[in-house]
Amino acid sequence: MNESAIEKMVALNLTSTIRGTLMAAEHMRKDKGGHGGRIINISSIAGLEEFAMVPVYCSTKHAVRAFTSALAMAPDIPLQGVEYAVLCPSPAATDMFLNIDDVKVRHLDTVPPSVRQAVTAPVECITRGFMKLVSLDQMNGAILYASQTEMTFRRMDNVGGVTKGRGVTKEGSICCGRREREEERERDREREK
Ligand SMILES: NC(=O)C1=CN([C@@H]2O[C@H](COP(=O)(O)OP(=O)(O)OC[C@H]3O[C@@H](n4cnc5c(N)ncnc54)[C@H](O)[C@@H]3O)[C@@H](O)[C@H]2O)C=CC1
Ligand SMILES: CCCCC/C=C\C=C\C(=O)C/C=C\C/C=C\CCCC(=O)O
């Protein structure tokens, strides 16, 4: 990836998301004459974990996640009437992912096509996650991971809103960090036995 491609990716993935979010919030905020509402930004699994194959992409997606979560922590969220959440999809079968090549992605040869295919979710799995955020009673501060096999809240902080606390709900269960997720998977495995 050359330098201009790096600048373009940062501008497209991060700067435009920051500017777009702030601009939308200005229009939406109840305390500024708007009607309130929800802003859902799109990060990625690459905003939750690190991947050697896509370091620049990964850094922009971590930043989008952090930016959105930081906005959700504002003490004046109830006054704003605006909630902020972030969706973190797994790789999904869109033009972008289906057209990756060894210029856009490093070490692509280390991932067999069969593995790439296996981790690629149908787009519907991701839109389901999006709709979950739309339909929840409260979603401020949510970080929702969506893949073919999982829809997991990695965080659910209504920090400035009505409820407070961290949580991950996967089909009703609560969990908030790596350890809790591992414990939850262990319980799932036990149940499946
Ligand atoms: N497909 C995947 O595996 C994953 C995608 N994502 C994220 O989901 C979001 C959507 O990506 P996909 O639907 O996969 O990609 P896509 O390539 O299918 O769609 C991207 C859309 O962005 C538009 N676009 C590109 N450059 C633009 C620009 N400069 N100004 C305005 N519009 C522009 C394109 O016209 C296209 O409609 C992205 O933020 C991506 O990082 C996150 C995780 C996984
Ligand atoms: C084949 C395995 C790649 C693994 C990367 C892991 C997770 C990636 C998740 C994503 O969000 C999307 C995947 C790839 C995007 C990579 C590069 C984008 C390049 C876009 C472009 O330059 O057009």
Side-chain angles (χ1 to χ4, degrees), residues 1 5 9 12-13 43-47 50-54 57 61 89-92 96-97 99-100 103-108 111-112 115-116 119:
M1 180 185 258
M9 184 173 289
L12 179 60
N13 288 8
S43 174
S44 163
I45 175 80
E50 296 78 35
F51 293 92
M53 292 163 231
V54 284
Y57 180 85
K61 291 299 180 180
S90 71
M96 182 185 81
F97 192 69
N99 292 321
I100 55 173
V103 176
K104 293 171 183 164
V105 174
R106 301 175 190 204
H107 321 297
L108 194 54
V111 187
V115 171
R116 209 193 304 174
V119 300

Side-chain angles (χ1 to χ4, degrees), residues 51-179:
F51 293 92
M53 292 163 231
V54 284
V56 179
Y57 180 85
C58 215
S59 70
T60 64
K61 291 299 180 180
H62 272 69
V64 166
R65 178 179 56 77
F67 168 70
T68 313
S69 297
L71 290 182
M73 293 172 76
D76 61 353
I77 290 292
L79 289 177
Q80 289 188 35
V82 178
E83 293 179 281
Y84 304 86
V86 62
L87 179 67
C88 295
S90 71
T94 66
D95 288 348
M96 182 185 81
F97 192 69
L98 297 175
N99 292 321
I100 55 173
D101 57 31
D102 54 10
V103 176
K104 293 171 183 164
V105 174
R106 301 175 190 204
H107 321 297
L108 194 54
D109 55 335
T110 63
V111 187
S114 58
V115 171
R116 209 193 304 174
Q117 202 176 353
V119 300
T120 306
V123 171
E124 296 72 36
C125 298
I126 313 304
T127 50
R128 233 180 96 231
F130 187 88
M131 291 315 294
K132 180 84 179 171
L133 290 171
V134 170
S135 61
L136 281 174
D137 284 346
Q138 295 164 18
M139 50 68 101
N140 188 51
I143 298 174
L144 179 58
Y145 169 65
S147 75
Q148 186 158 10
T149 54
E150 220 180 314
M151 201 201 303
T152 316
F153 283 97
R154 300 297 170 95
R155 183 189 292 171
M156 174 60 89
D157 280 352
N158 290 288
V159 178
V162 183
T163 51
K164 191 163 178 156
R166 302 165 88 82
V168 172
T169 58
K170 184 189 168 195
E171 309 302 338
S173 59
I174 303 286
C175 149
C176 57
R178 188 179 293 264
R179 182 173 57 80

